[in-house]
Amino acid sequence: GLSWSVDEKSLKNAFSSFGDVTEVRIVYDKDSGRARGFGFVIFSNEDDAKSAKDAMDGKALLGRPLRINFALEKARGGPVVVPRFSDNGRFNRP
């Protein structure tokens, strides 16, 4: 839900008060070059990331409310395998 006017610098400024922001990336459409409305803010410390999520989720940034979730890491070049619980509580592979 990022505003079209948000850039990496304004996103970093919005989150840097919660800790050391090591990377900010806004995702753009490959064909049109327009922002897709979401991005990533990476902190050097997990506790800082949690504090930022708690404080900023639902808050407006440049007129649009933010919806903040933690991203799941994805291995480059391969599918992400998410273990699932079976009925007996043990992990199953999909």
Side-chain angles (χ1 to χ4, degrees):
L2 289 176
S3 167
W4 301 119
S5 59
V6 171
D7 60 9
E8 281 88 358
K9 183 178 180 181
S10 60
L11 197 56
K12 184 174 184 172
N13 289 340
F15 283 88
S16 62
S17 64
F18 299 99
D20 181 34
V21 175
T22 60
E23 183 180 351
V24 175
R25 197 165 18 121
I26 294 177
V27 178
Y28 294 92
D29 182 81
K30 291 178 184 176
D31 296 326
S32 69
R34 289 186 53 174
R36 295 186 58 200
F38 68 96
F40 299 91
V41 177
I42 301 171
F43 288 86
S44 62
N45 179 302
E46 186 176 339
D47 290 334
D48 294 342
K50 288 178 183 177
S51 295
K53 180 185 183 302
D54 292 343
M56 296 293 285
D57 193 29
K59 302 289 185 205
L61 177 63
L62 298 176
R64 302 268 319 254
L66 298 174
R67 286 177 294 163
I68 300 176
N69 297 301
F70 287 111
L72 299 174
E73 275 197 51
K74 183 176 176 181
R76 290 186 182 255
V80 175
V81 177
V82 179
R84 302 184 192 281
F85 283 109
S86 67
D87 292 337
N88 61 10
R90 295 184 184 209
F91 285 110
N92 287 333
R93 299 251 181 224

